[in-house]
Amino acid sequence: MTMILYGIPNCDTVKKARRWLDQQGVAYRFHDVRKDGLDAARLQGWIDALGWEKLLNKAGTTFRKLPDDAKTGLDSAAAKALMLEQPAMIRRPVVEAADGVSVGFAAADWQARFAA
């Protein structure tokens, strides 16, 4: 299985993750969630694996700009709808690899997980 890295190209964390993968010679495919889209079934798989709380980026500008009533009382269905409507609300990067799904980038963790 080829690793797939989901994110937004101008995100600093995604840039760091891609640079690290390139430097380590790890093969991956990049999927731009804004340009290439994201289907509901894939997002649901991430929610099932990681939990919506871990996927929803509440610290990001897109979430912070939401009206207060959209931010209160969030549950899995509401969070999923927000993330499908505005993929920038998904914490990045999301990685699908042979050993499962993860979100975020930490060089030490990735070294143990992906380095050859």
Side-chain angles (χ1 to χ4, degrees), residues 90-104:
I90 299 171
R91 186 170 283 132
R92 303 173 290 271
V94 175
V95 173
E96 289 180 352
D99 65 349
V101 179
S102 66
V103 64

Side-chain angles (χ1 to χ4, degrees), residues 1 4 7 10 17 21 32 36 42 51 59 68 71-72 74 76-77 79 83 89 96-98 103 105 114:
M1 171 185 187
I4 304 172
N10 62 342
L21 290 169
D32 183 334
D36 302 328
R42 170 152 279 127
D68 288 340
K71 295 186 239 183
T72 57
L74 281 175
S76 182
M83 289 185 277
M89 282 194 226
E96 289 180 352
V103 64
F105 170 71
F114 301 125

